[in-house]
């Protein structure tokens, strides 16, 4: 079973905590032990795991990667969003997590984040749960 | 079943669209619903997902990452390809995709790319399909 | 079955070869063909695959990424380890490998490395093996 979630982003770059949504999808899949593969079908967005406690961590991640890979940089791609494509590849559009006891195995400070690198847009995220 | 594909690269850095080859391997595996794990057994190459429509996207990815991680940079590794090793870790040698209806679940603009970071060489890529 | 490994790191940034430990965990799982998902429950550490032969490769990876993402950079996060959070997302806290013949499918020069980006600390790493 594959569940498709819709995400509305509101800024050009943004990281959105997906824990509640992903955990609900895992519960609905009804699998106690297995894997959870998360996927975004976009090339200017990504998924990552990082800290949920201090929102300054997310701000620093977006700010620093925006300085290393700036939007304006003499790129050839005419759409003007090459920086978002590059960040999508570096962060990765896919994430494989472990399910145990019917829940995602996350560390205390870990959350799943949807990374918008060229918003605002309406985005999708797929959740595939495999028993095993 | 693990299928091994051979890839001939032609430049020092290059991204090669692998969609046709990977989709053929998925069809041959005969799995309708499951996971597809792609793997390169190299430490100076990688796999990624990105846009296939405008070839300037690939050019920008290679050009910009080559500026952030240049080949000449006072590295210690005597082989002279430390930049390729670093890019391999940042892009990742492995990719887990979802199979549904016997096909890879890719977004409209998404393609699987083999990333050569220290070519030209003859490379390998493994495709492992798991039902579930 | 999920196995939890403990890792003691000794430097602020460090890459530790985990091959022996991971291969032992795979043997104990007793699975001949399948997947091995590795996971660190931390947001300032990561997992990667890279070369094990010349230790200068690891030195170059840590040194260069430390220059691109320096510890001191005007970050907002008050703990002072934003660079480690950023590197954790770029390298990824998770890795999916293939098991065949009861062993990890690694290339000749590939090893699994635990990446410490904010040590020294006592860390954990989870190994989940799935048959298929």
């Amino acid at each position: 079973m594959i569940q498709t979630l819709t995400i509305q982003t509101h800024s050009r770059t943004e990281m959105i905590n997906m824990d509640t949504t992903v955990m609900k999808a895992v519960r609905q899949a009804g699998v106690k032990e297995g894997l959870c593969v998360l996927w975004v079908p976009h090339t200017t967005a990504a998924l990552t795991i990082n800290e949920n406690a201090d929102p300054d961590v997310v701000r620093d991640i977006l700010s620093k990667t925006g300085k290393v890979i700036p939007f304006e940089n003499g790129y050839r791609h005419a759409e003007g969003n090459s920086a978002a494509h590059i960040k999508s590849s570096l962060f990765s559009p896919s994430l494989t997590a472990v399910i145990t006891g019917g829940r995602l195995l996350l560390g205390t400070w870990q959350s799943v984040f949807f990374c918008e690198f060229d918003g605002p847009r309406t985005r999708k995220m797929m959740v595939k749960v495999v028993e095993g």
Side-chain angles (χ1 to χ4, degrees), chain A:
Chain A
M1 187 178 73
I2 299 168
Q3 295 175 67
T4 302
L5 314 172
T6 299
I7 302 155
Q8 181 61 50
T9 64
H10 297 90
S11 308
R12 184 144 200 209
T13 65
E14 186 178 3
M15 286 170 62
I16 300 175
N17 188 323
M18 301 301 296
D19 285 357
T20 309
T21 318
V22 172
M23 284 172 188
K24 190 177 160 201
V26 169
R27 270 198 310 276
Q28 286 181 344
V31 165
K32 291 295 172 203
E33 306 292 323
L35 303 180
C36 175
V37 177
L38 306 175
W39 184 274
V40 291
H42 311 294
T43 57
T44 53
L47 294 170
T48 199
I49 296 281
N50 222 298
E51 185 186 310
N52 50 25
D54 178 4
D56 277 342
V57 169
V58 160
R59 285 190 201 107
D60 285 341
I61 293 172
L62 292 175
S63 161
K64 178 62 183 168
T65 53
K67 278 174 194 152
V68 175
I69 317 281
F71 272 108
E72 302 303 324
N73 212 239
Y75 300 111
R76 296 173 54 144
H77 180 48
E79 260 188 284
N81 60 357
S82 277
H85 287 289
I86 297 166
K87 287 187 266 185
S88 175
S89 273
L90 294 177
F91 280 77
S92 177
S94 167
L95 184 64
T96 302
V98 173
I99 297 171
T100 185
R103 293 170 55 92
L104 276 191
L105 177 72
L106 292 176
T108 313
W109 309 109
Q110 284 184 321
S111 284
V112 177
F113 287 93
F114 177 89
C115 305
E116 172 63 81
F117 293 132
D118 189 41
R121 299 201 202 193
T122 304
R123 299 292 206 171
K124 287 200 188 311
M125 175 175 158
M126 278 78 168
V127 183
K128 163 82 176 176
V129 171
V130 175
E131 197 158 17

